[in-house]
Amino acid sequence: MEQPTTMTIPELITQGIDNSFTYQEYRKLISDLLTEGKSTGHEQSEALTNYSTLNDRRMKRWDKTLKIDESITTSFSNANLDVTWVVLTEGWCGDAAHVLPVLNKLADLNEGIDLKIISRDDHDELMDNFLTNGGKSIPKLIVYDNQNKEVLNSWGPRPSIATQMVNDYKEQHGSLDPEFKEDLQVWYNKDKGANIAEDILNLL
């Protein structure tokens, strides 16, 4: 019997990029699916569609109002880069609604950053190489060097302060309840993408 061939990470990333969306295409995909009462991903439910609707509104708001700190803007604009930012995500993911608009604004600052968004559910094998504590948590950013065909870094699913908040809450309460999730959304709104931008700058 033939052994199943397993692809290398660069091969999986190349496959992902071939099936990817630009940020604008991804935003349109979510909107188009919502008109049919659907969300992205293999699983469909009323709850996931409701989350997607909420996230679509959040992303619209961030696209209009988000401002990146001047020092971070300067650092990104001046960096010598030739990378692809591959982001595994789905439209129903609450964290992604806050993270993706920031990544899009940062990528726009430098021609050497190519932002590509791919469906987690369609790229299971790639996702399995970038798990968070054994889980398929999203969004997950993979920084891929276009010249050397290698992964330089990965980040996600949440910015460092939010990750700490989640870990602290889990330690005290065992799991995340709706009340905490609401508090997390409030934190994202107050932070205005600053922690995400700082984290990503540190990846450079």
Side-chain angles (χ1 to χ4, degrees):
M1 267 176 69
E2 278 184 43
Q3 290 296 314
T5 56
T6 52
M7 294 169 78
T8 65
I9 290 177
E11 283 169 347
L12 289 168
I13 287 173
T14 302
Q15 185 187 59
I17 291 168
D18 287 343
N19 295 303
S20 68
F21 301 92
T22 64
Y23 182 71
Q24 285 70 27
E25 287 167 347
Y26 177 72
R27 296 285 290 107
K28 185 177 184 305
L29 173 72
I30 291 174
S31 298
D32 289 351
L33 284 170
L34 284 173
T35 60
E36 300 170 30
K38 293 178 183 173
S39 64
T40 69
H42 294 175
E43 196 187 324
Q44 296 294 324
S45 71
E46 194 181 341
L48 291 178
T49 305
N50 290 342
Y51 291 139
S52 292
T53 304
L54 194 60
N55 292 336
D56 191 43
R57 280 193 219 122
R58 283 178 182 139
M59 290 169 88
K60 269 182 194 147
R61 192 180 72 238
W62 284 132
D63 288 341
K64 281 184 189 148
T65 62
L66 194 64
K67 290 191 170 44
I68 304 294
D69 182 83
E70 209 173 305
S71 64
I72 290 176
T73 300
T74 304
S75 299
F76 265 90
S77 303
N78 295 334
N80 182 19
L81 301 168
D82 182 12
V83 294
T84 302
W85 283 359
V86 179
V87 185
L88 288 147
T89 192
E90 294 294 347
W92 44 258
C93 173
D95 293 293
H98 299 286
V99 169
L100 282 171
V102 181
L103 294 181
N104 178 52
K105 295 266 187 198
L106 293 173
D108 278 349
L109 296 170
N110 192 305
E111 283 183 356
I113 302 170
D114 194 9
L115 177 62
K116 296 292 187 187
I117 298 169
I118 64 176
S119 158
R120 179 193 74 172
D121 289 3
D122 289 340
H123 297 89
D124 226 18
E125 208 182 326
L126 179 60
M127 184 74 246
D128 285 343
N129 284 282
F130 294 93
L131 301 177
T132 306
N133 304 322
K136 299 181 178 189
S137 303
I138 48 175
K140 181 65 85 166
L141 164 67
I142 303 163
V143 181
Y144 187 66
D145 184 315
N146 294 327
Q147 293 293 320
N148 298 322
K149 305 283 183 245
E150 63 179 8
V151 174
L152 299 177
N153 232 318
S154 67
W155 177 93
R158 295 183 184 96
S160 50
I161 295 170
T163 300
Q164 194 59 55
M165 286 167 64
V166 167
N167 293 345
D168 291 348
Y169 198 86
K170 274 185 178 171
E171 210 167 284
Q172 281 183 315
H173 304 271
S175 64
L176 305 180
D177 54 28
E179 193 184 345
F180 173 81
K181 288 176 182 174
E182 213 165 286
D183 289 345
L184 186 61
Q185 294 304 328
V186 170
W187 175 83
Y188 271 121
N189 290 335
K190 281 185 181 164
D191 184 67
K192 295 184 169 63
N195 186 213
I196 300 164
E198 282 161 17
D199 280 0
I200 304 303
L201 180 63
N202 290 333
L203 292 188
L204 286 184

